[in-house]
Amino acid sequence: MNEAKTLTCIVCPIGCTIDIKKENNGFMINGNKCKRGEKYAIEELTAPKRIVTTTVKVNNSVHPVVSVKTSEPVPKEKIFDIMEVISNTEVTAPVKIGDIIVKDILDTGVDIVATRNAKEI
Ligand code: SF4
């Protein structure tokens, strides 16, 4: 684990620059304007997560693929395995925005959901 980091908070549009450093009994955090930034910085240093966006093959549609994303950020170290599951997934039209394409992917508690519609032929 990195012991110190400078990052841009992405929780709100202000985009504070936050310095975080691990110390013996906690963290030294500077630059955040609110508590949400503190939580974000600690998570980025200790267990970074990301939203994954990609596409899934769709059958019986005018569109060859439909765009999808994770319903929540997932641990960075799981992204490769998640992408592999998604690349081996196919759906059949019709698909609607918000449809769950893969439920609880790799036991993360996070779903893969459609972000576009795909009409059937
Ligand atoms: S620290 Fe607070 S105010 Fe600053 S960008 Fe993050 S959420 Fe917004």
Side-chain angles (χ1 to χ4, degrees), residues 9 11-12 14-16 18 32-34 36-37:
C9 181
V11 178
C12 90
I14 293 174
C16 297
I18 302 176
N32 57 305
K33 286 188 168 65
C34 74
R36 289 185 301 162

Side-chain angles (χ1 to χ4, degrees), residues 63 65-68 95-99 101 113-118:
H63 308 289
V65 295
V66 64
S67 57
V68 297
V95 176
K96 289 202 259 359
I97 292 175
D99 281 357
I101 306 299
V113 295
T115 55
R116 295 290 293 270
N117 296 323

Side-chain angles (χ1 to χ4, degrees), residues 28-45:
M28 168 85 88
I29 304 174
N30 290 303
N32 57 305
K33 286 188 168 65
C34 74
K35 279 276 182 193
R36 289 185 301 162
E38 183 179 307
K39 182 172 177 280
Y40 170 76
I42 292 170
E43 189 172 278
E44 271 298 292
L45 194 70

